[in-house]
């Protein structure tokens, strides 16, 4: 298969995944998560349930947003190792929130309303809250790995884990507030504010990719 054919297939797969997830979140929001089945989602999209499961292993996966992990870790890895840990992680969180809520035309699912709907579902649904906690732990480990030389010994790894966990806790507080105010305050501002309240100005500088 040629590179062009592979790229086309990847785009088609990405578009199918986006449409399935968008329809699923709409149905969950309108009817309630527990009242909607995977078969309902498949019918709304016009595909088989098998196709849905090919893109999303579980019903819970339909609500989880996997893009932030890559965006955050890329920004952490690109940040200057001369900065404090909380600035490297905190800056990446703010920058990623800015990217995801900017309405990028190439990623139409990554917008404020979609993210708000997903967040509300995760907050209000017990099964999704548990899955969200699992994803947060995986995100923490991915960030620690992205810190590279800042986590090469047991002691350094512990510091990186502690700093990352604290930054993620601040972000969770900001996300909860964002849902409460229905997005009236910009998410990057809320995350920066939560980080500043926790660590002071040391954690809120962005654009530190030297």
């Amino acid at each position: 298969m040629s590179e062009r054919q592979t790229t086309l297939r990847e785009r088609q797969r990405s578009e199918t995944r986006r449409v399935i997830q968008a329809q699923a979140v709409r149905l969950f929001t309108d009817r309630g998560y527990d009242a909607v089945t995977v078969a309902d989602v498949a019918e709304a999209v016009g595909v088989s349930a098998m196709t849905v499961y090919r893109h999303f292993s579980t019903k819970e996966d339909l609500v989880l947003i996997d893009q932030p992990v890559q965006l955050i870790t890329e920004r952490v890895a690109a940040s200057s190792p001369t900065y404090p840990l909380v600035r490297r992680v905190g800056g990446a969180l703010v920058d990623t929130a800015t990217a995801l809520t900017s309405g990028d035309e190439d990623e139409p699912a990554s917008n404020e309303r979609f993210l708000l709907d997903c967040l509300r579902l995760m907050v209000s649904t017990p099964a999704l809250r548990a899955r969200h906690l699992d994803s947060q732990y995986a995100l923490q480990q991915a960030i620690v790995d992205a810190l590279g030389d800042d986590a090469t010994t047991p002691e350094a790894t512990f510091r990186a884990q502690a700093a990352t966990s604290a930054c993620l806790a601040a972000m969770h507080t900001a996300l909860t507030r964002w849902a409460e105010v229905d997005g009236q305050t910009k998410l990057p501002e809320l995350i920066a504010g939560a980080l500043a309240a926790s660590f002071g100005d040391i954690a809120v500088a962005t654009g530190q990719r030297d």
Side-chain angles (χ1 to χ4, degrees):
M1 183 178 295
S2 69
E3 182 178 347
R4 182 176 180 179
Q5 289 174 317
T6 300
T7 301
L8 178 60
R9 174 171 291 185
E10 289 173 350
R11 288 179 178 174
Q12 291 173 333
R13 178 178 175 80
S14 177
E15 175 63 13
T16 299
R17 180 181 173 87
R18 183 194 70 78
V19 171
I20 291 172
Q21 188 172 40
Q23 286 285 1
V25 171
R26 181 184 64 81
L27 290 174
F28 295 154
T29 300
D30 291 344
R31 303 182 193 174
Y33 177 81
D34 293 329
V36 177
T37 66
V38 170
D40 293 331
V41 174
E43 182 179 359
V45 179
V47 299
S48 67
M50 183 72 69
T51 297
V52 176
Y53 280 120
R54 242 193 330 264
H55 292 273
F56 301 91
S57 299
T58 68
K59 181 181 174 182
E60 291 89 350
D61 288 337
L62 286 163
V63 184
L64 295 178
I65 309 297
D66 53 10
Q67 187 183 24
V69 177
Q70 180 180 352
L71 294 178
I72 292 169
T73 54
E74 286 176 350
R75 284 162 170 76
V76 169
S79 64
S80 172
T82 62
Y83 284 104
L85 287 170
V86 292
R87 178 173 292 188
R88 295 185 68 187
V89 177
L93 296 179
V94 174
D95 286 350
T96 298
T98 300
L100 289 175
T101 57
S102 63
D104 187 344
E105 293 181 358
D106 293 329
E107 293 290 346
S110 297
N111 56 55
E112 291 182 327
R113 181 52 50 185
F114 179 80
L115 292 173
L116 275 167
D117 287 342
C118 289
L119 178 59
R120 289 198 183 93
L121 287 167
M122 285 188 284
V123 169
S124 63
T125 309
L128 292 174
R129 285 201 300 269
R131 190 60 183 273
H132 177 63
L133 289 175
D134 288 342
S135 68
Q136 286 295 94
Y137 179 80
L139 173 58
Q140 175 183 319
Q141 188 55 53
I143 291 173
V144 170
D145 291 341
L147 286 169
D149 290 343
D150 274 338
T152 54
T153 67
E155 294 78 9
T157 298
F158 174 73
R159 289 194 297 271
Q161 289 171 335
T164 300
S165 178
C167 287
L168 292 179
M171 182 180 72
H172 178 75
T173 301
L175 287 170
T176 302
R177 179 61 176 167
W178 192 51
E180 291 173 349
V181 301
D182 193 32
Q184 293 299 309
T185 304
K186 295 297 184 182
L187 181 57
E189 294 177 17
L190 288 171
I191 295 176
L195 290 165
S198 300
F199 309 106
D201 293 340
I202 191 175
V204 297
T206 59
Q208 66 272 33
R209 286 173 290 280
D210 293 353

